């Protein structure tokens, strides 16, 4: 058996594949990990290596990047074909079935790892059954949320934080806690994590989740400008990241959370004694910023740009294809936020009515967005005529004459979605129906407020 040459055999499993890695001999079996491989695929390639753990660790690191969950199990004093023979065969099978149970099995109280991983983080934070937030599964995800929270109190964006992580990846995330350049409210970041922690805390009373939520709240207080707006990133970064950011509803999301705390929503009844009043103050300052940034066109109030200069409050440019404009998308969410205010001031009422008139004026009737297969065999989008279709609104309108426009990464305005390249045409939301939720959309109402 040559046991002196075999210190340990290591099996590692991933949700992309099942692979056995041999360590401790002069040969190593390394693995390909294609993303779409089944759970029990076994692929090996024999290589001469000096370091037998190096190949295994490199494969685990590769799986960490797309968030493929993996486990490593070591069995001491085993021969080359250990997994096929007694007494190691049963141990190997137990490890395999335990792994598969974890990623596939589902009982009445929890979801399988496979099912959880198929959901978006936003769904996990908002839409799971209340009791689920007290489950072991929810607690495990809450621990991920704690790991990702920066020392600033905020979180980075675009993280599917509910995916299981290997120990090596957890170590990597822990080492990034001191990062000060990626805490943000963009793409639902920070707000989603706080909402999730609040739900888990309510079901578990684990102090760490409460403390992380409160640290996030302090982050939002600190990030707010004196004029009431919030930048996309805080601590501040150069460029458009420091603009007052309505884009992707960043500021509206923050303000809704603060309003819930200020209104003493039972979901947040664990906050500090002075937090409701501090949140109310921050919310009111945010409303003041919204009123001051509402764009005037020929002396009349209209709506808002996706981002405004933090000093001048004028519409501002962000990415190359996000030019100063009136927003048909983000402005709709601002109107809904303003409408949520109890006993609104005359200024707020006037703001809402002016925005609604603008939305009626610029609505686009008789079209729809169609997905089709283009002449290159690719899924593509185009605008087609469709009499009687529900109204749509463009993402961007010219600030001075309300003409809808589109833009590619070259920064050049175009006035048809068909004129921009394939990548931007299909990788951005150029139209929205969101304003339909608060204005009349029958065919006779378009010009009633002109």
């Amino acid at each position: 058996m040559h046991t002196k040459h075999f210190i340990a055999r290591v099996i590692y499993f991933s949700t992309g594949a099942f692979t056995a890695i041999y360590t401790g001999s002069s040969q190593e079996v390394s693995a390909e990990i294609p993303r779409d491989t089944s759970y029990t695929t076994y692929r090996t390639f024999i290589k001469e290596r000096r370091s037998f753990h190096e190949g295994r660790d490199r494969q685990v690191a590769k799986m960490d990047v797309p968030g493929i969950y993996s486990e490593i199990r070591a069995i001491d004093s085993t021969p080359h074909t250990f997994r096929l023979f007694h007494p190691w065969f049963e141990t190997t099978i137990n490890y395999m079935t335990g792994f598969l149970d974890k990623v596939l099995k589902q009982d009445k109280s929890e979801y399988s790892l496979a099912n959880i991983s198929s959901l978006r983080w936003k769904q996990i934070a908002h839409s799971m059954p209340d009791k689920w937030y007290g489950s072991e599964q929810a607690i495990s995800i809450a621990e991920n949320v704690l790991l990702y929270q920066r020392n600033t109190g905020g979180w980075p964006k675009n993280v599917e934080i509910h995916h299981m992580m290997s120990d090596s990846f957890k170590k990597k995330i822990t080492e990034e806690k001191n990062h000060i350049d990626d805490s943000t409210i963009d793409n639902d970041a920070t707000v989603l994590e706080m909402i999730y922690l609040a739900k888990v805390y309510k079901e578990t009373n684990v102090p760490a989740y409460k403390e992380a939520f409160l640290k996030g709240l302090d982050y939002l207080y600190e990030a707010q400008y004196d004029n009431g707006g919030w930048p996309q990133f805080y601590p501040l970064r150069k460029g458009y990241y420091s603009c007052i950011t309505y884009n992707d509803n960043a500021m509206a999301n923050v303000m809704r959370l603060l309003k819930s705390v200020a209104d003493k929503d039972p979901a947040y009844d664990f906050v500090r004694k002075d937090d409701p009043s501090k949140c109310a103050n921050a919310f009111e300052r945010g409303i003041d910023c919204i009123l001051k940034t509402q764009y005037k066109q020929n002396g009349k109030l209209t709506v808002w740009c996706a981002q405004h200069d933090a000093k001048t409050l004028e519409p501002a440019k962000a990415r190359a294809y996000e030019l100063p404009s009136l927003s048909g998308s983000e402005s709709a969410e601002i109107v809904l936020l303003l409408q949520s205010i109890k006993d609104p001031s005359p200024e707020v009422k006037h703001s809402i009515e002016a925005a609604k008139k603008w939305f009626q004026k610029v609505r686009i009737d008789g079209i729809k967005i169609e997905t089709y297969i283009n002449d290159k065999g690719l899924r593509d989008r185009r605008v087609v005529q469709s009499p009687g279709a529900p109204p749509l609104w463009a993402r961007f309108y010219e600030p001075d004459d309300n003409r809808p426009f589109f833009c590619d990464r070259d920064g050049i305005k175009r006035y048809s979605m068909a004129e921009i390249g394939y990548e931007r045409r299909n990788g951005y939301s150029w139209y929205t129906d969101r304003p339909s939720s608060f204005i009349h959309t029958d065919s006779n109402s378009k010009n009633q407020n002109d």
Side-chain angles (χ1 to χ4, degrees):
M1 287 173 50
H2 306 292
T3 55
K4 67 179 180 179
H5 298 298
F6 298 92
I7 299 171
R9 301 298 183 185
V10 176
I11 310 171
Y12 75 76
F13 313 93
S14 84
T15 54
F18 159 65
T19 308
I21 293 294
Y22 297 86
T23 63
S25 74
S26 61
Q27 292 181 326
E28 175 195 354
V29 179
S30 64
E32 281 188 344
I33 310 293
R35 191 65 199 269
D36 58 350
T37 304
S38 70
Y39 286 94
T40 55
T41 297
Y42 174 67
R43 301 184 179 195
T44 64
F45 295 87
I46 307 296
K47 294 181 181 179
E48 292 291 335
R49 303 291 298 183
R50 290 185 178 180
S51 172
F52 306 111
H53 289 278
E54 181 182 309
R56 179 201 71 196
D57 293 342
R58 186 169 59 252
Q59 289 297 341
V60 171
K62 286 181 180 179
M63 292 186 292
D64 283 339
V65 174
I68 300 174
Y69 176 65
S70 63
E71 290 182 3
I72 296 174
R73 294 287 183 262
I75 305 176
D76 292 334
S77 302
T78 53
H80 181 74
T81 54
F82 74 100
R83 65 194 181 282
L84 301 178
F85 298 104
H86 178 76
W88 309 284
F89 180 74
E90 184 175 354
T91 301
T92 302
I93 291 298
N94 288 340
Y95 281 148
M96 289 173 64
T97 55
F99 176 80
L100 293 175
D101 280 349
K102 181 178 290 187
V103 298
L104 294 176
K105 194 173 181 180
Q106 182 175 353
D107 60 31
K108 293 181 180 180
S109 63
E110 295 200 356
Y111 293 75
S112 72
L113 173 59
N115 285 344
I116 284 291
S117 296
S118 71
L119 299 177
R120 301 300 301 273
W121 172 227
K122 191 170 186 176
Q123 293 174 280
I124 299 293
H126 280 295
S127 305
M128 303 299 281
D130 288 345
K131 290 298 181 183
W132 177 86
Y133 292 99
S135 69
E136 289 299 318
Q137 198 170 46
I139 291 170
S140 177
I141 295 171
E143 293 300 312
N144 289 355
V145 176
L146 296 184
L147 279 177
Y148 268 100
Q149 187 176 29
R150 303 311 196 215
N151 291 336
T152 61
W155 280 264
K157 66 177 179 177
N158 301 335
V159 177
E160 293 298 320
I161 212 164
H162 57 296
H163 289 181
M164 292 188 72
M165 298 186 289
S166 67
D167 289 341
S168 61
F169 194 67
K170 288 179 180 179
K171 181 180 178 182
K172 174 180 177 293
I173 297 304
T174 301
E175 291 170 351
E176 294 175 353
K177 276 190 163 294
N178 286 324
H179 286 192
I180 61 171
D181 61 350
D182 62 356
S183 298
T184 183
I185 60 170
D186 191 29
N187 292 357
D188 299 316
T190 298
V191 172
L192 276 187
E193 285 75 27
M194 292 175 66
I195 289 171
Y196 183 81
L197 288 174
K199 289 185 175 184
V200 178
Y201 176 72
K202 291 289 287 186
E203 294 295 328
T204 65
N205 289 315
V206 174
Y209 306 147
K210 171 183 173 180
E211 293 306 314
F213 177 93
L214 296 177
K215 189 173 182 179
L217 206 53
D218 289 338
Y219 169 80
L220 296 178
Y221 296 152
E222 185 177 340
Q224 189 176 25
Y225 283 130
D226 290 341
N227 60 27
W230 273 270
Q232 186 179 127
F233 281 80
Y234 185 82
L236 296 176
R237 290 171 54 176
K238 292 182 179 179
Y240 70 86
Y241 306 107
S242 63
C243 287
I244 294 167
T245 304
Y246 300 128
N247 191 40
D248 293 330
N249 307 319
M251 189 162 144
N253 290 336
V254 169
M255 292 181 65
R256 286 187 185 281
L257 176 59
L258 295 179
K259 185 175 185 297
S260 294
V261 177
D263 291 345
K264 299 184 178 181
D265 186 323
Y268 307 105
D269 61 8
F270 56 84
V271 297
R272 296 158 299 202
K273 185 176 180 180
D274 62 344
D275 279 323
S277 62
K278 290 175 73 173
C279 285
N281 178 263
F283 181 83
E284 288 302 321
R285 289 166 56 210
I287 294 298
D288 186 55
C289 179
I290 287 173
L291 297 179
K292 288 179 179 177
T293 51
Q294 190 168 11
Y295 188 77
K296 282 189 176 181
Q297 186 183 87
N298 300 320
K300 291 184 177 180
L301 288 176
T302 57
V303 288
W304 297 264
C305 182
Q307 51 279 319
H308 287 252
D309 186 273
K311 294 181 180 179
T312 68
L313 306 186
E314 292 297 316
K317 175 185 175 183
R319 289 171 287 192
Y321 51 89
E322 295 172 329
L323 304 179
S325 64
L326 300 182
S327 170
S329 180
E330 284 79 6
S331 295
E333 206 62 37
I334 293 173
V335 171
L336 291 169
L337 176 68
L338 294 176
Q339 288 188 150
S340 72
I341 300 173
K342 286 185 178 181
D343 302 319
S345 68
E347 291 80 10
V348 169
K349 290 180 180 178
H350 179 54
S351 173
I352 294 170
E353 291 307 310
K356 285 183 175 181
K357 287 181 179 181
W358 183 86
F359 276 114
Q360 284 283 23
K361 183 177 181 178
V362 303
R363 57 183 276 185
I364 304 169
D365 293 307
I367 67 166
K368 67 178 182 179
I369 311 304
E370 178 183 76
T371 300
Y372 72 106
I373 304 300
N374 65 22
D375 56 9
K376 295 182 179 179
L378 301 174
R379 288 174 60 88
D380 207 342
R381 292 194 296 174
R382 62 188 174 191
V383 177
V384 298
Q385 297 299 310
S386 181
L392 293 174
W393 286 262
R395 181 73 175 260
F396 301 141
Y397 291 85
E398 292 276 16
D400 296 328
D401 63 10
N402 301 323
R403 186 181 182 186
F405 73 86
F406 308 83
C407 200
D408 218 320
R409 293 187 184 276
D410 57 10
I412 299 173
K413 287 181 183 179
R414 294 173 174 86
Y415 295 95
S416 167
M417 193 175 80
E419 295 177 13
I420 61 176
Y422 176 86
E423 185 269 333
R424 279 298 79 195
R425 185 168 61 249
N426 291 276
Y428 201 65
S429 299
W430 294 105
Y431 289 93
T432 182
D433 62 357
R434 189 64 167 144
S436 296
S437 62
F438 56 77
I439 67 169
H440 297 294
T441 58
D442 60 275
S443 59
N444 297 318
S445 64
K446 178 174 182 178
N447 298 316
Q448 68 181 11
N449 291 317
D450 285 4

